Amino acid sequence: MSKSGSAPLSPQQQTSLLSIKGNALCAECSTSNPSWCSLTYGITLCLDCAGVHRGLGVHLSFVRSITMDDWNSDQYNQMLRGGNDKWDEAWKQGNATAQFREKQAWKAVRDGEKWRAEMREVVKSKYESEVAALYRDMLARKDGAVTTMTGSLGSPQVETVSLAMEQPPTLRECQAVLFPFFLALMTHEPKNLMSLIMWTICGFALSSWINIHGPVAYTGILVPSILGITGFVPYYFVNSMSTKYAFVWVNHRHDAFKSAKNMLVDLITNKRAKRLETCDVYYPVTKERKAKVGLVFYPGALVDRTAYAPIAARLAEAGIFVVVANLEPFRLVCSLKTYNSKEKVMRMISDSLLLGAEDGSGLWEVENWAIGGHSMGGSLAIASCVNEMSSTLKKVVLWGVGSYPHQLMHPCKPLRDVTSDVDVLLVNGSNDAVINAFGGKPAWDDMEAKLPPRADGSVKPGQGCTIYKTIQGGNHSGCAHYGPQMYPVRDGDRSITLEQQQEHTAKLSVDFLLGEYDKLSI
């Protein structure tokens, strides 16, 4: 690493930074093994707190990844001059009361008594304080030079990257998609179909009776009226349902936290991620531009794909090539009749490998591909694997899934009947109220009967099995940076932090995808 050039930190340099007093824990929330830092204060941060610091702006805190970003010597030396305990002591001396209250608040977050999002204003006021201003100036000038975040004199220079605002679909666009779906639902369900048949028979029978036995003077009016009502009522029902759910699609979209958006911008700036038309790509940290496993991942229904940036970055740090599907503008796939899953998946894989190399740094190579999804995205992943890609995709990762795909939305055969060598990892939170509200035990039993056999002594990973894992204290929205989720039902409250749930989810997924089954525990 030269002063003018930049390169990733070596393992020895990373160890040196983390061995500084206090740096083994996040400077804000005390989460272990932090992999991010604020150069401005020389402190280490966990993934979530790094997102909070990005929200402060580079004038208050400039965030870097210890494991993924390139560094120059000035930046590295500034970190060596800092340290979590050093900054904490300075903060205590400058405002002991505020420091004490902050530590109590973070303890409440760790104990599950307080939302992490509630700490944003606390952190903001801390780093806007005079104490923080004096400390960052002192740290920057300690060696007699003004060290900026780019290692050169002047204001920080950062490549400007912005994410385009995702425009929700119009009510009319949603209705156009939903009307044929609810029409099919009416004829697909036996009870609905029987009701429709009986209604039609009654309507035609009444018209026939009036035509034969009714008053001649009014037959020409009554018969067309009855036939019109017979046809109008089903149409009105279907149209009302499609209008109702179109309103939901437009007004109940789950947007990503600002910290997730800032993280994606930071990753794109540092060429660790790329936003394509079909997907978002998260690159592993490797010089060879090769990955053992790639994961095509579908977001949950109505969830902004950007919300998965923090957990996707965790997977990428562990060596997984991650592709998060773009399902805009509807943010879900209502029916496979209008979505060619094999074509879409292959297009995402092609785009991520080819278009992701437009910067001239070379093509990526991925040995094996897996597919996965969160909530309804998991159902789409299962159907995609079963229907057309069971010979290509040998692993399926499911987060927050409590039932097998609905046969009208994502029709598919039981996975265990189609293939004998696809492994499935199913990770749910114990406080997930969404999957409990939609199906319960009957849906769960049906899903378990259709997925590959449960892993046990006779059926092992690699032989076509399903591994079930429960994260104690986790909920439905804890798989990504959005929420609190109030639709379609109010999600359960987490008793662990968002950071902890995603850390557990990512670890299980990485161990499963890399074939390290003996490590599959939390």
Side-chain angles (χ1 to χ4, degrees):
M1 181 190 303
S2 66
K3 186 169 183 177
S4 57
S6 60
L9 295 178
S10 67
Q12 294 80 3
Q13 289 171 323
Q14 294 179 24
T15 301
S16 297
L17 291 186
L18 295 176
S19 64
I20 296 173
K21 196 172 182 181
N23 282 17
L25 301 177
C26 172
E28 304 295 352
C29 67
S30 299
T31 296
S32 59
N33 302 317
S35 59
W36 294 79
C37 68
S38 169
L39 290 176
T40 316
Y41 305 93
I43 56 176
T44 57
L45 303 166
C46 69
L47 194 65
D48 283 333
C49 290
V52 174
H53 271 249
R54 285 192 198 86
L56 300 175
V58 294
H59 65 292
L60 289 181
S61 183
F62 192 81
V63 179
R64 304 287 284 175
S65 169
I66 296 174
T67 58
M68 294 191 297
D69 289 332
D70 289 342
W71 292 59
N72 60 38
S73 58
D74 285 339
Q75 295 168 341
Y76 179 65
N77 290 333
Q78 178 144 325
M79 284 296 298
L80 293 178
R81 293 199 303 274
N84 291 3
D85 282 5
K86 185 177 180 179
W87 162 232
D88 189 59
E89 182 61 29
W91 175 231
K92 181 179 180 180
Q93 291 180 6
N95 195 332
T97 301
Q99 189 238 24
F100 174 77
R101 290 176 177 172
E102 179 200 15
K103 286 188 177 295
Q104 292 299 108
W106 278 117
K107 182 178 183 301
V109 172
R110 292 193 296 273
D111 293 342
E113 301 171 357
K114 189 181 184 73
W115 287 97
R116 178 182 283 268
E118 297 178 53
M119 295 299 296
R120 296 180 186 279
E121 290 302 317
V122 176
V123 173
K124 183 179 179 182
S125 62
K126 174 181 178 179
Y127 290 99
E128 287 180 341
S129 67
E130 184 179 354
V131 176
L134 292 173
Y135 185 84
R136 59 178 174 260
D137 288 345
M138 178 274 295
L139 194 66
R141 292 184 172 86
K142 187 169 183 180
D143 62 354
V146 179
T147 308
T148 70
M149 297 308 102
T150 58
S152 59
L153 298 178
S155 301
Q157 300 296 316
V158 190
E159 180 184 352
T160 301
V161 175
S162 61
L163 300 179
M165 280 290 278
E166 304 289 5
Q167 296 298 325
T170 65
L171 285 172
R172 181 170 295 182
E173 289 173 333
C174 292
Q175 284 177 306
V177 174
L178 286 167
F179 188 90
F181 171 75
F182 281 108
L183 184 61
L185 181 63
M186 178 178 287
T187 58
H188 177 79
E189 297 291 342
K191 290 182 179 180
N192 294 340
L193 181 59
M194 183 59 65
S195 299
L196 179 62
I197 292 174
M198 292 302 297
W199 171 261
T200 305
I201 291 174
C202 289
F204 277 95
L206 181 58
S207 299
S208 179
W209 186 89
I210 291 177
N211 190 48
I212 297 173
H213 302 287
V216 177
Y218 296 102
T219 300
I221 299 175
L222 290 176
V223 172
S225 298
I226 293 173
L227 292 176
I229 292 173
T230 302
F232 176 77
V233 170
Y235 168 82
Y236 176 79
F237 174 78
V238 173
N239 189 66
S240 297
M241 292 298 293
S242 61
T243 301
K244 174 184 176 181
Y245 281 91
F247 181 84
V248 167
W249 280 17
V250 173
N251 294 282
H252 289 274
R253 291 156 66 87
H254 305 302
D255 290 329
F257 289 154
K258 185 177 179 181
S259 59
K261 296 178 182 178
N262 290 338
M263 168 172 280
L264 180 55
V265 168
D266 190 55
L267 292 171
I268 293 174
T269 300
N270 292 287
K271 297 185 177 4
R272 299 299 183 187
K274 195 175 185 71
R275 169 151 287 186
L276 304 176
E277 181 182 352
T278 56
C279 57
D280 289 350
V281 190
Y282 298 84
Y283 301 111
V285 181
T286 172
K287 294 181 179 179
E288 295 80 14
R289 300 182 72 80
K290 294 181 179 180
K292 183 178 179 181
V293 180
L295 173 66
V296 176
F297 192 85
Y298 283 107
L302 303 181
V303 181
D304 182 358
R305 68 190 185 280
T306 309
Y308 297 88
I311 195 166
R314 285 183 179 276
L315 298 177
E317 285 185 18
I320 309 298
F321 189 99
V322 184
V323 177
V324 180
N326 176 19
L327 297 181
E328 297 290 342
F330 301 111
R331 292 187 179 175
L332 59 80
V333 175
C334 185
S335 172
L336 288 181
K337 292 181 179 179
T338 58
Y339 186 88
N340 187 322
S341 56
K342 182 176 183 179
E343 178 185 332
K344 297 290 186 181
V345 170
M346 296 309 295
R347 173 72 183 278
M348 284 188 281
I349 291 176
S350 175
D351 286 354
S352 62
L353 296 177
L354 301 178
L355 299 181
E358 286 177 338
D359 58 2
S361 51
L363 300 179
W364 275 86
E365 296 181 20
V366 177
E367 293 182 24
N368 300 292
W369 283 95
I371 195 167
H374 173 216
S375 192
M376 190 181 289
S379 296
L380 181 56
I382 293 173
S384 299
C385 182
V386 170
N387 292 340
E388 298 181 284
M389 307 192 74
S390 59
S391 61
T392 305
L393 306 170
K394 295 302 180 183
K395 291 188 177 182
V396 180
V397 177
L398 306 175
W399 301 341
V401 177
S403 60
Y404 204 71
H406 192 287
Q407 290 306 295
L408 182 61
M409 296 183 68
H410 307 131
C412 61
K413 296 179 180 179
L415 182 57
R416 69 164 61 191
D417 293 346
V418 173
T419 178
S420 60
D421 59 352
V422 171
D423 290 336
V424 178
L425 171 68
L426 178 56
V427 181
N428 286 331
S430 62
N431 297 355
D432 190 332
V434 177
I435 63 173
N436 292 332
F438 286 85
K441 189 176 186 304
W444 181 267
D445 292 342
D446 175 69
M447 178 176 66
E448 188 165 0
K450 293 178 178 178
L451 289 178
R454 183 182 287 265
D456 55 25
S458 59
V459 182
K460 298 180 180 179
Q463 301 175 350
C465 69
T466 302
I467 302 170
Y468 296 86
K469 293 292 181 179
T470 300
I471 298 178
Q472 295 300 321
N475 65 355
H476 196 74
S477 62
C479 299
H481 271 49
Y482 74 97
Q485 182 160 338
M486 306 302 292
Y487 184 85
V489 297
R490 185 186 185 281
D491 193 10
D493 295 326
R494 287 192 307 273
S495 58
I496 58 176
T497 66
L498 181 63
E499 169 80 12
Q500 289 172 329
Q501 180 169 351
Q502 293 191 12
E503 180 181 1
H504 294 329
T505 304
K507 180 185 182 301
L508 290 169
S509 300
V510 168
D511 292 341
F512 172 75
L513 289 169
L514 295 180
E516 299 175 350
Y517 303 116
D518 57 325
K519 297 181 181 179
L520 269 170
S521 61
I522 53 176

